[in-house]
mmCIF file of all heavy atoms in Angstrom:
data_model
loop_
_atom_site.group_PDB
_atom_site.id
_atom_site.type_symbol
_atom_site.label_atom_id
_atom_site.label_comp_id
_atom_site.label_asym_id
_atom_site.label_seq_id
_atom_site.Cartn_x
_atom_site.Cartn_y
_atom_site.Cartn_z
ATOM 1 N N GLY A 356 102.938 28.377 27.233
ATOM 2 C CA GLY A 356 101.678 27.824 26.856
ATOM 3 C C GLY A 356 100.549 27.612 27.793
ATOM 4 O O GLY A 356 99.517 27.087 27.563
ATOM 5 N N LEU A 357 100.903 28.182 29.056
ATOM 6 C CA LEU A 357 100.077 27.976 30.179
ATOM 7 C C LEU A 357 98.962 29.219 30.250
ATOM 8 O O LEU A 357 99.214 30.222 29.915
ATOM 9 C CB LEU A 357 100.799 27.924 31.496
ATOM 10 C CG LEU A 357 101.852 26.795 31.574
ATOM 11 C CD1 LEU A 357 102.517 26.785 32.925
ATOM 12 C CD2 LEU A 357 101.131 25.429 31.358
ATOM 13 N N ASN A 358 97.762 28.746 30.878
ATOM 14 C CA ASN A 358 96.640 29.626 31.112
ATOM 15 C C ASN A 358 96.528 29.882 32.582
ATOM 16 O O ASN A 358 97.094 29.266 33.417
ATOM 17 C CB ASN A 358 95.421 29.079 30.552
ATOM 18 C CG ASN A 358 95.457 28.904 28.980
ATOM 19 O OD1 ASN A 358 95.282 30.008 28.212
ATOM 20 N ND2 ASN A 358 95.921 27.872 28.527
ATOM 21 N N HIS A 359 95.539 30.855 32.931
ATOM 22 C CA HIS A 359 95.370 31.258 34.275
ATOM 23 C C HIS A 359 94.737 30.164 35.076
ATOM 24 O O HIS A 359 93.841 29.285 34.707
ATOM 25 C CB HIS A 359 94.465 32.438 34.395
ATOM 26 C CG HIS A 359 95.193 33.663 34.006
ATOM 27 N ND1 HIS A 359 94.549 34.725 33.474
ATOM 28 C CD2 HIS A 359 96.454 33.983 34.106
ATOM 29 C CE1 HIS A 359 95.334 35.701 33.263
ATOM 30 N NE2 HIS A 359 96.533 35.308 33.525
ATOM 31 N N ASP A 360 95.178 30.012 36.342
ATOM 32 C CA ASP A 360 94.489 29.153 37.390
ATOM 33 C C ASP A 360 93.705 30.065 38.283
ATOM 34 O O ASP A 360 94.063 30.806 38.943
ATOM 35 C CB ASP A 360 95.516 28.482 38.244
ATOM 36 C CG ASP A 360 96.238 27.351 37.436
ATOM 37 O OD1 ASP A 360 95.645 26.757 36.592
ATOM 38 O OD2 ASP A 360 97.457 27.113 37.840
ATOM 39 N N GLY A 361 92.249 30.008 38.134
ATOM 40 C CA GLY A 361 91.405 30.769 38.897
ATOM 41 C C GLY A 361 90.290 29.729 39.532
ATOM 42 O O GLY A 361 90.710 28.483 39.758
ATOM 43 N N ARG A 362 89.205 30.310 39.914
ATOM 44 C CA ARG A 362 88.174 29.412 40.529
ATOM 45 C C ARG A 362 86.785 29.847 39.884
ATOM 46 O O ARG A 362 86.517 31.025 39.570
ATOM 47 C CB ARG A 362 88.051 29.855 42.080
ATOM 48 C CG ARG A 362 89.301 29.278 42.827
ATOM 49 C CD ARG A 362 89.121 29.358 44.271
ATOM 50 N NE ARG A 362 88.836 30.716 44.839
ATOM 51 C CZ ARG A 362 88.581 30.960 46.051
ATOM 52 N NH1 ARG A 362 88.675 29.992 47.002
ATOM 53 N NH2 ARG A 362 88.468 32.232 46.506
ATOM 54 N N VAL A 363 85.912 28.788 39.893
ATOM 55 C CA VAL A 363 84.651 29.106 39.295
ATOM 56 C C VAL A 363 83.733 29.491 40.424
ATOM 57 O O VAL A 363 84.060 29.375 41.638
ATOM 58 C CB VAL A 363 84.009 27.694 38.672
ATOM 59 C CG1 VAL A 363 84.865 27.301 37.510
ATOM 60 C CG2 VAL A 363 83.956 26.696 39.751
ATOM 61 N N ALA A 364 82.603 30.143 40.095
ATOM 62 C CA ALA A 364 81.647 30.673 41.078
ATOM 63 C C ALA A 364 80.933 29.461 41.552
ATOM 64 O O ALA A 364 80.587 28.512 40.797
ATOM 65 C CB ALA A 364 80.644 31.682 40.537
ATOM 66 N N ALA A 365 80.597 29.389 42.902
ATOM 67 C CA ALA A 365 79.920 28.303 43.381
ATOM 68 C C ALA A 365 79.338 28.608 44.797
ATOM 69 O O ALA A 365 80.111 29.372 45.623
ATOM 70 C CB ALA A 365 80.777 27.027 43.456
ATOM 71 N N ASN A 366 78.172 28.278 45.120
ATOM 72 C CA ASN A 366 77.582 28.467 46.435
ATOM 73 C C ASN A 366 77.666 29.893 47.017
ATOM 74 O O ASN A 366 77.985 30.114 48.025
ATOM 75 C CB ASN A 366 78.257 27.542 47.368
ATOM 76 C CG ASN A 366 78.136 25.946 47.034
ATOM 77 O OD1 ASN A 366 77.046 25.666 46.508
ATOM 78 N ND2 ASN A 366 79.173 25.219 47.172
ATOM 79 N N GLY A 367 77.431 30.784 46.031
ATOM 80 C CA GLY A 367 77.471 32.200 46.491
ATOM 81 C C GLY A 367 78.915 32.828 46.465
ATOM 82 O O GLY A 367 78.968 34.139 46.559
ATOM 83 N N ALA A 368 79.954 32.115 46.281
ATOM 84 C CA ALA A 368 81.236 32.578 46.089
ATOM 85 C C ALA A 368 81.534 33.060 44.703
ATOM 86 O O ALA A 368 81.184 32.225 43.677
ATOM 87 C CB ALA A 368 82.274 31.558 46.541
ATOM 88 N N PRO A 369 82.185 34.290 44.518
ATOM 89 C CA PRO A 369 82.355 34.630 43.098
ATOM 90 C C PRO A 369 83.452 33.913 42.405
ATOM 91 O O PRO A 369 84.229 33.212 43.000
ATOM 92 C CB PRO A 369 82.657 36.082 43.288
ATOM 93 C CG PRO A 369 83.381 36.092 44.652
ATOM 94 C CD PRO A 369 82.514 35.120 45.434
ATOM 95 N N ARG A 370 83.466 34.095 41.039
ATOM 96 C CA ARG A 370 84.593 33.469 40.319
ATOM 97 C C ARG A 370 85.869 34.252 40.438
ATOM 98 O O ARG A 370 85.872 35.462 40.862
ATOM 99 C CB ARG A 370 84.284 33.267 38.742
ATOM 100 C CG ARG A 370 84.300 34.705 38.023
ATOM 101 C CD ARG A 370 83.985 34.448 36.540
ATOM 102 N NE ARG A 370 84.971 33.728 35.948
ATOM 103 C CZ ARG A 370 86.079 34.171 35.400
ATOM 104 N NH1 ARG A 370 86.413 35.392 35.726
ATOM 105 N NH2 ARG A 370 86.977 33.382 34.834
ATOM 106 N N ASP A 371 87.048 33.613 40.424
ATOM 107 C CA ASP A 371 88.307 34.314 40.541
ATOM 108 C C ASP A 371 88.996 34.011 39.103
ATOM 109 O O ASP A 371 89.170 32.897 38.744
ATOM 110 C CB ASP A 371 89.118 33.880 41.582
ATOM 111 C CG ASP A 371 88.553 34.157 42.966
ATOM 112 O OD1 ASP A 371 87.881 35.317 43.037
ATOM 113 O OD2 ASP A 371 88.657 33.294 43.920
ATOM 114 N N GLU A 372 89.594 34.999 38.492
ATOM 115 C CA GLU A 372 90.462 34.870 37.249
ATOM 116 C C GLU A 372 91.759 34.335 37.786
ATOM 117 O O GLU A 372 92.276 33.523 37.089
ATOM 118 C CB GLU A 372 90.576 36.161 36.654
ATOM 119 C CG GLU A 372 91.418 36.036 35.281
ATOM 120 C CD GLU A 372 90.824 35.113 34.234
ATOM 121 O OE1 GLU A 372 89.576 35.037 34.214
ATOM 122 O OE2 GLU A 372 91.571 34.743 33.372
#
Side-chain angles (χ1 to χ4, degrees):
L357 300 179
N358 296 276
H359 286 152
D360 287 333
R362 294 192 297 182
V363 299
N366 301 321
R370 74 179 295 279
D371 294 325
E372 180 68 21

